[in-house]
Amino acid sequence: MKRKNKVTMNDIARAAGVSQATVSLVLNQSRHIKLSDDTRRRVITVATELGYTRLPAVHTPHNQEEIALLISSLQSYDPFIDAISQARETAWRNEVLLTVYDYGDDTELALNIISQLEKRNCIGIILASPVTAAIDMSEYEGCTRLPVVLLNQRDPASPLTPSFIPDDYANAFQITRHLIAQGARRIAHITGEEWMDATRNRLAGYQDALAQAGIAPVTEWVRQTNWQFNESYLATQSLLALPEPPDAIFCASDWLSIGCYQALAANGRRIPQDILVAGYDDQKISEQMMPPLTSIRLPYDELGRLAVEYLYNQEDAATHVTLAGRLKVRSSSLGPGQA
């Protein structure tokens, strides 16, 4: 479904000189936080001038339809925020409120929230995770009459539950293939905890890209961490100590790339002259790193939009959407003569 109105809450916030959060509070008619009447009027005026069509007047607050998004946990820097922002925008364009609940990975709390939603004008529930993961839906069976979709997680044992996830395998494959195209042959991979779907799928994409290029994977090239950049620092140090150090390092998150950059600098290795580096997630810090970091932007905004539209349109097909991201090539991964 193509969006006709391209004005966003961020556009209104910039024009009105207020935060995006303030715009959201005004347009969602929130009275829980005190805002001056002047601020509310300014936001509404700017929104009208910019052509934002989903203004508060079209809603009926006391009987407002809503879609609930239950998320296990979320950090403020997490790129998954894009999914929530786009889900909220899509819901608002369809005159539905998106309510977000952080249930802290506590299934009992999630079930309690769902039981309360049964009493309200809720048209569907999105169960979300900031990290691509598996979920056991058996704990939720029979708990609600409302339709449920999964965002950034899936249940292999529940094929009828719709899911919307990024393609970690394809993303890792294209990053590794890019490094190979730049002339790298000894490509290391710094990844996360072994139990996570995100870790396993990114590792598989990396290994298959090597195999397709006729490069035999080497066990010592892979270093697992707990996603902390201090562990990435140590992992990079150990890779540099190999008899044949890597000529490229693919970090399974931009956060891990920070530790990698620090270790390379401490060892006098220049990026990209001595070694190529690529990350994953395309967080805002990627463009600010020196040199700017090649990374892959995950399609969280598109996945969030699709999840809301699925519920709003009352679809009932066993839909499973897996989307690849877009590679953002920057100077950290450009081989000789490519910069």
Side-chain angles (χ1 to χ4, degrees), residues 10-216:
N10 285 327
D11 296 330
I12 298 170
R14 284 192 293 270
V18 298
S19 69
Q20 187 273 335
T22 296
V23 173
S24 179
L25 289 169
V26 172
L27 296 183
N28 284 296
Q29 296 183 310
S30 173
R31 296 292 170 179
H32 297 295
I33 296 183
K34 186 173 179 59
L35 296 173
S36 69
D37 290 339
D38 179 66
T39 297
R40 293 183 185 275
R41 281 194 297 269
R42 184 163 75 255
V43 169
I44 294 298
T45 299
V46 169
T48 302
E49 291 173 350
L50 292 178
Y52 194 86
T53 59
R54 303 303 185 193
L55 296 175
V58 306
H59 294 277
T60 54
H62 296 297
N63 193 34
Q64 177 66 60
E65 285 187 334
E66 69 173 292
I67 290 174
L69 186 150
L70 278 66
I71 186 165
S72 56
S73 62
L74 190 64
Q75 301 296 324
S76 60
Y77 58 81
D78 199 300
F80 186 71
I81 287 176
D82 290 344
I84 297 178
S85 297
Q86 188 56 239
R88 182 196 62 230
E89 289 277 341
T90 303
W92 187 250
R93 290 199 307 274
N94 288 289
E95 302 182 22
V96 179
L97 294 181
L98 180 78
T99 52
V100 180
Y101 303 85
D102 184 342
Y103 68 93
D105 209 20
D106 183 338
T107 303
E108 183 178 352
L109 175 57
L111 292 172
N112 184 268
I113 293 170
I114 291 172
S115 69
Q116 296 302 312
L117 292 170
E118 289 274 351
K119 305 172 185 176
R120 290 155 55 172
N121 196 17
C122 183
I123 63 175
I125 295 170
I126 301 172
L127 278 177
S129 167
V131 176
T132 308
I135 182 175
D136 182 3
M137 287 300 292
S138 64
E139 299 179 275
Y140 295 89
E141 286 181 2
C143 73
T144 180
R145 59 176 174 76
L146 298 171
V148 176
V149 303
L150 303 178
L151 178 58
N152 208 31
Q153 53 187 347
R154 62 184 183 85
D155 182 1
S158 182
L160 296 181
T161 304
S163 62
F164 301 84
I165 62 174
D167 195 333
D168 283 317
Y169 173 90
N171 293 336
F173 188 97
Q174 66 173 308
I175 290 174
T176 307
R177 187 173 61 179
H178 163 71
L179 293 171
I180 293 170
Q182 298 303 305
R185 289 300 177 268
R186 300 186 306 279
I187 304 172
H189 182 40
I190 300 177
T191 188
E193 295 162 293
E194 186 177 11
W195 62 267
M196 297 176 64
D197 274 11
T199 297
R200 292 195 294 267
N201 291 334
R202 293 172 199 182
L203 176 61
Y206 153 80
Q207 292 174 329
D208 285 356
L210 292 180
Q212 187 183 86
I215 301 173

